[in-house]
């Protein structure tokens, strides 16, 4: 299978490296300084503060011909430009990113039959040219990367893609309700990300119980106005459990290594722009998505 990974940030670089090491025909698309760095030394990876290793993934600046699968790892506000660049490129397109506007907005540009939805189950930060990814533990190993068809069917192409990822050591699973999953995640992610940015980092937010309560209130508001029940159903606990218990759990999470190494502590303009675009998608009426 010929694979293009579109986007060379933390998740795209890590994904491309793992597919390359598993022997797949994969190229990594990058631009600007990131492209220059990748051409010079390949993908540089490190598990949190561990030693750096190099993976010589082939890199390209533009899509080249057709692909069996294009996996897109970009920020929400960058998707429009990606869609334009892929309109004339053949291949199924798996969007592995934050997206709450529904699959129809994607398919309207590149063709509805090409679209698949998903979300990466890894996280990390960029340390110069080095991707420092989150160390796995018992809990994170149980979290699979969900991918699915827009209509929820389990199709032969979805099963092939899931199996391909698993052979590369990527814990993928078929997700039958990916549109609802992504909207649920955005309902949680937008208040969380904006509160972290306002506080100056996840640990600083954890030290401000009033700010955590305000964040939880916004999460509950977002979940209350969703047209469908939360997916996974466990997110319904954000509305059902006592506030005091949830605040304590969220404060503990914000101080954990999982939060610190998840990319939450990213004050960049790009991170802020992504959160704003996601917030706009959540506010949009159902018919506008």
């Amino acid at each position: 299978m010929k694979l293009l990974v579109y986007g060379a940030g933390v998740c795209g670089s890590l994904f491309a490296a793992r597919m390359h090491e598993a022997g797949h025909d994969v190229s990594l698309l990058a631009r600007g300084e990131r492209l220059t760095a990748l051409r010079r030394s390949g993908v540089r990876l490190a598990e949190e503060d561990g030693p750096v290793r190099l993976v010589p993934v082939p890199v390209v600046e533009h899509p080249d011909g057709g692909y069996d699968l294009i996996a897109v790892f970009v920020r929400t506000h960058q998707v429009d430009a990606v869609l334009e660049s892929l309109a004339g490129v053949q291949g199924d397109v798996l969007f592995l990113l934050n997206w709450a506007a529904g699959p129809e907005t994607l398919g309207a540009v590149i063709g509805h039959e090409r679209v698949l939805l998903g979300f990466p189950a890894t996280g990390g930060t960029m340390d110069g040219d080095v991707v420092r990814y989150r160390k796995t533990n018992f809990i994170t190993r149980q979290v699979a990367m969900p991918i699915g068809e827009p209509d929820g069917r389990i199709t032969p192409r979805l099963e092939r893609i899931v199996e391909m990822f698993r052979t590369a050591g990527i814990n993928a699973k078929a997700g039958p309700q990916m549109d609802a999953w992504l909207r649920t995640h955005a309902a949680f992610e937008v208040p969380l990300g904006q509160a972290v940015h306002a506080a100056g980092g996840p640990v600083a937010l954890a030290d401000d119980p009033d700010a955590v309560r305000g964040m939880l209130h916004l999460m509950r508001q977002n979940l209350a106005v969703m047209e469908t029940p939360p997916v996974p159903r466990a997110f319904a606990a954000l509305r059902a459990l006592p506030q005091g218990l949830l605040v304590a759990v969220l404060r503990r999470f914000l101080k954990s290594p999982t939060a610190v190494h998840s990319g939450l502590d990213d004050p960049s303009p790009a991170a802020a722009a992504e959160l704003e675009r996601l917030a706009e998608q959540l506010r949009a009426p159902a018919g506008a998505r």
Side-chain angles (χ1 to χ4, degrees), residues 206-230:
D207 290 335
D208 187 347
D210 288 339
V212 176
R213 279 190 284 270
M215 176 185 74
L216 176 60
H217 176 70
L218 292 175
M219 291 175 179
R220 286 174 158 175
Q221 282 187 327
N222 287 341
L223 292 171
V225 298
M226 285 182 57
E227 299 91 355
T228 57

Side-chain angles (χ1 to χ4, degrees), residues 1-9 11-13 15-16 19 26-29 67-74 82 86 90-97 114 116-118 120 145 147 161 164-165 170:
M1 182 176 284
K2 187 178 180 183
L3 174 66
L4 175 68
V5 176
Y6 198 125
C11 294
S13 296
F15 183 85
M19 297 302 290
V26 57
S27 298
L28 178 59
L29 188 146
Y67 301 87
D68 297 301
L69 180 67
I70 302 166
V72 180
F73 294 86
V74 300
V82 173
L86 293 181
Q90 293 183 344
D92 294 328
V93 185
L94 171 57
F95 293 90
L96 288 155
L97 44 82
R114 299 177 63 190
L116 297 110
L117 301 173
M145 181 176 78
I147 63 174
I161 293 169
M164 178 183 67
F165 291 166
I170 297 170

